[in-house]
């Protein structure tokens, strides 16, 4: 397992020199954030990012993410231009030596929360999703008060986008995504890039939009779209763990045994009601995800890829990007690394004893 950390570039208040000081930290998960969605990333910009990270004694382990343009998801004729740009980006990433790309196929919004600063009893704050709050919003009529997305679209743009999506049913959406997979994955196989699709977050439909990656059955359908080694998933314990019907250790053992888990987001959440949850500290006892069982399952499949401590609380007075402060994510990373060391070393010892 390769311990990694999300970094948002030079403007990120969490500096690379701080990340390097986290025990066991090996790699960085990052992207180029100022290129418009759908445009190709130049080799020069990718190389610059890689050299910056390597200059701090770390590795550029994962690109998260190369966004999929809405025209591709909608299946519009203009998608060909954006698919060509996506391919050019992948070629440049491969030339720069980047081996894993995380992406998602969520329409309009990816992660969605109703509040970013919910106060917990210990004085920290966290991200939460409250179904009764979100279901009262109607982005199609401009009545959107969704933290993190309020100013993401120009006047009238969001309403137009929703109108386009409401012309599609779920099978139409599957067809658009299948076309993207059919175009991209053979090239990724050729380039040696592993593509890791992130689950829907949260893993259920919102605002009447088609969302297709929230259950094991949906992932099985998605993985069946292409049989090459590039086509895999980013297993996000927080996204999938928000639905108590998802058996996370079982999903890891079944999908991981086929080599389809390319990247892991380790995040804990506490389910607070129907389609409602709050993000917690990473410890198993804090949330609804048994993180120890998750790490055991990863050990069972001999997982060797990157894992990052996903969203954390804002603790010790830290301010900045909600969920992406240094302190709680660093604590989570050390906790996860400790679990991994204990599990793997105990199993080696048990194997040595049993072989005597």
């Amino acid at each position: 397992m390769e311990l990694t950390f999300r970094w948002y570039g030079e403007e990120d208040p969490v500096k690379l020199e701080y990340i390097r000081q986290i025990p066991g930290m090996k790699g960085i998960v990052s992207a180029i954030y100022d290129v418009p969605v759908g445009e190709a990333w130049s080799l020069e910009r990718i190389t610059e990012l890689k050299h910056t990270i390597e200059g701090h004694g770390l590795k550029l382990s994962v690109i998260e993410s190369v966004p999929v343009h809405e025209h591709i998801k909608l299946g519009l004729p203009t998608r060909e231009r954006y698919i060509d740009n996506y391919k050019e980006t992948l070629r440049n990433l491969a030339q720069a030596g980047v081996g894993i790309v995380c992406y998602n196929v969520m329409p309009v919004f990816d992660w969605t929360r109703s509040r970013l600063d919910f106060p917990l009893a210990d004085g920290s704050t966290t991200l939460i999703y409250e179904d009764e709050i979100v279901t009262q919003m109607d982005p199609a009529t401009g009545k959107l008060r969704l933290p993190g997305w309020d100013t993401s679209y120009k006047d009238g743009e969001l309403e137009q986008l929703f109108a386009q999506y409401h012309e599609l049913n779920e099978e139409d959406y599957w067809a658009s995504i299948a076309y993207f997979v059919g175009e991209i994955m053979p090239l990724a196989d050729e380039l040696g890039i592993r593509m890791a699709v992130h689950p829907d977050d949260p893993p259920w439909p919102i605002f009447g939009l088609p969302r297709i990656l929230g259950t094991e059955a949906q992932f099985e359908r998605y993985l069946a779209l292409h049989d090459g080694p590039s086509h895999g998933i980013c297993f996000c314990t927080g996204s999938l763990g928000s639905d108590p019907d998802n058996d996370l250790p079982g999903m890891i053992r079944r999908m991981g045994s086929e080599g389809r888990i390319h990247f892991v987001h380790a995040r804990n959440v506490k389910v607070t009601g129907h389609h409602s949850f709050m993000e917690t500290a990473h410890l198993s006892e804090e949330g609804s995800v048994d993180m120890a069982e998750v790490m055991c399952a990863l050990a069972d499949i001999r997982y060797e890829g990157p894992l990052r401590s996903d969203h954390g609380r804002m603790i010790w007075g830290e301010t900045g990007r909600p969920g992406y402060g240094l302190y709680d994510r660093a604590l989570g990373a050390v906790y996860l690394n400790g679990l991994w060391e204990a599990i793997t070393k105990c199993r080696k010892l048990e194997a040595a004893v049993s072989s005597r």
Side-chain angles (χ1 to χ4, degrees):
M1 187 266 289
E2 179 185 351
L3 195 62
T4 64
F5 210 80
R6 184 73 176 267
W7 181 63
Y8 280 95
E10 298 289 0
E11 302 303 315
D12 194 331
V14 179
K15 304 302 181 184
L16 287 172
E17 52 263 37
Y18 303 159
I19 297 172
R20 187 183 181 188
Q21 295 170 20
I22 301 170
M25 191 57 59
K26 298 293 191 300
I28 291 295
V29 178
S30 193
I32 298 175
Y33 298 102
D34 59 355
V35 175
V37 173
E39 298 303 312
W41 297 4
S42 71
L43 177 60
E44 180 181 9
R45 293 294 306 280
I46 296 166
T47 303
E48 179 184 1
L49 174 66
K50 184 181 180 185
H51 286 171
T52 297
I53 292 168
E54 290 176 345
H56 287 80
L58 295 162
K59 171 188 174 184
L60 177 55
S61 300
V62 182
I63 287 293
E64 184 181 349
S65 61
V66 181
V68 181
H69 196 277
E70 298 297 333
H71 287 202
I72 297 174
K73 300 174 191 175
L74 286 163
L76 301 179
T78 47
R79 67 184 172 182
E80 300 301 335
R81 173 189 169 226
Y82 296 111
I83 288 175
D84 287 343
N85 288 346
Y86 207 100
K87 290 178 178 178
E88 182 180 348
T89 296
L90 291 185
R91 291 188 185 99
N92 289 337
L93 287 169
Q95 188 172 342
V98 176
I100 300 177
V101 171
C102 181
Y103 68 104
N104 73 74
V105 294
M106 289 175 265
V108 188
F109 311 109
D110 45 41
W111 65 270
T112 304
R113 301 290 184 270
S114 58
R115 187 168 175 181
L116 307 182
D117 60 352
F118 183 78
L120 297 175
D122 61 7
S124 63
T125 61
T126 194
L127 287 69
I128 66 170
Y129 184 98
E130 304 155 289
D131 183 63
E132 65 274 17
I133 299 298
V134 176
T135 53
Q136 293 175 15
M137 302 178 189
D138 187 0
T141 61
K143 296 179 180 178
L144 175 68
R145 296 295 180 269
L146 199 58
W149 295 101
D150 298 69
T151 59
S152 298
Y153 293 94
K154 299 176 183 176
D155 289 345
E157 189 177 30
L158 190 59
E159 292 87 340
Q160 180 182 1
L161 194 55
F162 264 80
Q164 289 176 294
Y165 271 108
H166 286 161
E167 294 177 3
L168 301 180
N169 59 36
E170 186 173 299
E171 289 304 312
D172 294 331
Y173 196 67
W174 269 106
S176 295
I177 299 305
Y179 184 85
F180 169 76
V181 169
E183 287 290 313
I184 293 299
M185 298 308 160
L187 175 63
D189 288 340
E190 178 186 327
L191 295 172
I193 288 182
R194 287 175 289 169
M195 302 292 294
V197 68
H198 191 284
D200 295 341
D201 184 11
W204 49 74
I206 59 172
F207 306 130
L209 295 168
R211 288 163 72 92
I212 60 174
L213 289 179
T215 67
E216 184 171 0
Q218 290 174 325
F219 270 102
E220 288 175 348
R221 179 176 178 180
Y222 189 79
L223 292 174
L225 295 175
H226 180 75
D227 195 34
S230 65
H231 190 41
I233 69 174
C234 168
F235 196 92
C236 179
T237 65
S239 298
L240 294 171
S242 302
D243 183 348
D245 290 336
N246 283 329
D247 169 21
L248 303 193
M251 292 172 71
I252 290 171
R253 292 184 176 99
R254 287 185 287 272
M255 291 188 286
S257 64
E258 302 170 359
R260 295 298 191 113
I261 298 178
H262 296 332
F263 184 29
V264 175
H265 285 183
R267 182 201 326 156
N268 211 338
V269 294
K270 183 176 182 179
V271 176
T272 56
H274 175 69
H275 286 179
S276 299
F277 60 90
M278 65 171 61
E279 299 188 1
T280 70
H282 287 79
L283 278 72
S284 298
E285 65 187 41
E286 295 288 330
S288 300
V289 175
D290 190 329
M291 203 62 70
E293 277 294 326
V294 165
M295 298 301 280
C296 283
L298 289 170
D300 286 344
I301 65 169
R302 294 179 171 84
Y303 180 71
E304 296 181 348
L307 174 148
R308 74 172 176 88
S309 52
D310 204 2
H311 302 174
R313 304 161 298 149
M314 302 304 279
I315 65 173
W316 302 339
E318 188 174 20
T319 59
R321 185 188 297 268
Y324 283 98
L326 170 65
Y327 305 144
D328 200 39
R329 284 189 298 153
L331 291 175
V334 173
Y335 166 69
L336 294 165
N337 204 39
L339 282 177
W340 185 256
E341 181 177 4
I343 291 165
T344 54
K345 286 192 173 182
C346 283
R347 290 187 176 183
K348 287 180 182 178
L349 179 60
E350 289 170 356
V353 170
S354 64
S355 64
R356 291 176 184 174

